[in-house]
Amino acid sequence: MYLDKHFKINKKLQLQINEHGYFVVKKFFSKKVIEDINRSVEKLILDKNNFYPPRNISHYKNNKKALRNPNGSLKFGLDENSIDQGYKYFYKLTNGVSYKDPLLKIRDLKKLVFKDKFIDLMIYLFQKKCYFGPLKLSTFFKNKLPKNCINFFHTDDLSFKVKKNSRSLKISIPLNVNNKKNTEYMHLPINKKKLNLKKQYFEIDSLSYNLKKKIISPKIELGDIIVFDPTNFFHSAKKPNTRIRNILYLEFVIDKKKSSNLKIFKKDFMSLSKKQKSFCQSFYKK
């Protein structure tokens, strides 16, 4: 389902997210805002202090089974010498990096994160009180390394039944895309409760022919967003087909214990609307 940025929040959307697990909003952000933030991300990667230590995917070339797990479960990280040589060297050794304190590193990121319409949308879709969950700003690399983690089909809770209060919803905001081409995001639009798939981190080739035909990969342009349910629907991301892929993920949760304690400058927090402030009270004001 494709919507324009003036979309109405109604039962049709709720039915779409419950039955198919996703929808795309076209041109929600201006291309200029996205391009400006993307340029800031491309500067962040030049300083190792801006990102968490990357996992050494090259170490697992002969142990691909270990790569069918969350990235954080991998014990071997890149050595300091490799990291010090910069991403144009170490991109051949890892599949991506995630940035620390993104709201402090790129203050304009608040233009993407704090939108009243996002809050209204999430409250309506959950039909109950919800909170900001994790915010993840990442860069993924085009290389010859094996796939890992998000490159396999999975649900974020890694279970076959959604546990009470474990449900979340995500908004994916691509920061650099080839316009009008299919995104790397792949989505199986059938609720996992209706599938007999007792596995996680699997490849598309392991699916039946009929299920393969149902997988969607939306066409995305700069400024578009994808809203999806990562706990009830299997999804994955292909490895980038361009040099790097920069992407921002916003997560919304109903479990208060999982609400975000992201760092934000106090001045930036005070500039938010009343609705936005109430939604991110757990943020750490710096």
Side-chain angles (χ1 to χ4, degrees):
M1 174 186 274
Y2 293 88
L3 308 168
D4 68 40
K5 66 179 181 179
H6 302 295
F7 69 93
K8 293 182 179 180
I9 299 172
N10 54 30
K11 288 185 178 179
K12 186 178 179 181
L13 281 187
Q14 195 174 54
L15 181 64
Q16 172 70 17
I17 206 76
N18 290 341
E19 291 293 320
H20 303 291
Y22 85 101
F23 55 86
V24 176
V25 183
K26 303 295 292 180
K27 299 179 181 178
F28 189 85
F29 294 108
S30 74
K31 290 183 180 180
K32 183 180 186 309
V33 167
I34 297 293
E35 287 170 344
D36 288 347
I37 290 173
N38 188 62
R39 279 191 286 270
S40 296
V41 176
E42 291 184 342
K43 292 177 183 177
L44 284 188
I45 201 171
L46 301 178
D47 184 345
K48 69 177 183 180
N49 295 309
N50 290 328
F51 51 81
Y52 295 104
R55 300 297 88 193
N56 187 348
I57 303 302
S58 65
H59 176 86
Y60 295 91
K61 279 186 175 180
N62 297 319
N63 183 19
K64 293 182 181 180
K65 185 177 180 180
L67 298 176
R68 294 177 183 248
N69 285 289
N71 203 49
S73 70
L74 301 178
K75 295 180 179 179
F76 293 92
L78 287 184
D79 61 274
E80 284 297 316
N81 181 57
S82 295
I83 296 173
D84 287 342
Q85 293 189 61
Y87 85 95
K88 290 185 179 179
Y89 172 80
F90 69 68
Y91 84 92
K92 295 176 286 188
L93 306 174
T94 190
N95 282 335
V97 298
S98 292
Y99 297 99
K100 303 174 183 176
D101 303 325
L103 291 173
L104 301 185
K105 306 289 186 187
I106 304 176
R107 296 183 70 174
D108 274 352
L109 207 60
K110 64 181 183 288
K111 295 177 181 178
L112 305 186
V113 176
F114 301 109
K115 307 295 290 184
D116 282 353
K117 192 151 190 178
F118 286 168
I119 296 172
D120 293 339
L121 174 65
M122 292 301 154
I123 291 173
Y124 186 85
L125 293 179
F126 281 122
Q127 289 290 294
K128 61 174 64 178
K129 189 173 179 61
C130 54
Y131 311 89
F132 265 116
L135 181 154
K136 187 175 182 181
L137 179 64
S138 299
T139 293
F140 299 97
F141 304 122
K142 179 181 179 181
N143 56 34
K144 296 181 180 180
L145 293 174
K147 296 183 286 187
N148 82 296
C149 189
I150 65 167
N151 305 135
F152 296 102
F153 278 93
H154 65 285
T155 57
D156 284 11
D157 61 344
L158 302 181
S159 70
F160 308 117
K161 294 181 179 180
V162 177
K163 299 174 184 177
K164 185 180 180 181
N165 287 340
S166 69
R167 190 185 179 201
S168 67
L169 293 171
K170 281 185 175 179
I171 297 177
S172 169
I173 307 174
L175 302 178
N176 59 337
V177 293
N178 288 330
N179 283 350
K180 297 183 180 178
K181 291 192 176 181
N182 290 76
T183 179
E184 286 94 351
Y185 177 72
M186 294 189 293
H187 182 95
L188 183 55
I190 304 172
N191 193 299
K192 68 182 181 183
K193 291 183 290 187
K194 299 179 180 179
L195 296 168
N196 187 29
L197 292 175
K198 302 298 183 183
K199 54 187 175 181
Q200 292 283 349
Y201 293 112
F202 57 87
E203 296 196 65
I204 190 172
D205 290 343
S206 69
L207 295 174
S208 68
Y209 175 73
N210 287 335
L211 285 181
K212 287 180 187 176
K213 287 199 303 181
K214 293 183 182 298
I215 289 173
I216 61 98
S217 187
K219 289 186 177 181
I220 297 295
E221 298 178 81
L222 214 56
D224 297 352
I225 65 172
I226 306 173
V227 180
F228 66 102
D229 178 345
T231 47
N232 283 298
F233 293 83
F234 288 102
H235 58 284
S236 71
K238 299 174 187 175
K239 294 190 67 173
N241 54 23
T242 54
R243 182 176 61 92
I244 60 173
R245 177 173 72 226
N246 296 324
I247 193 160
L248 174 68
Y249 292 104
L250 311 181
E251 186 168 358
F252 300 84
V253 299
I254 54 177
D255 185 350
K256 191 174 183 180
K257 294 178 182 177
K258 296 180 181 178
S259 60
S260 179
N261 61 351
L262 278 168
K263 294 178 183 178
I264 184 172
F265 286 113
K266 188 173 182 179
K267 184 177 180 180
D268 290 338
F269 180 80
M270 295 307 296
S271 72
L272 301 179
S273 71
K274 184 177 179 180
K275 182 185 295 186
Q276 293 161 1
K277 287 177 184 175
S278 66
F279 211 68
C280 56
Q281 281 295 327
S282 61
F283 281 26
Y284 176 78
K285 292 83 175 175
K286 185 177 174 67

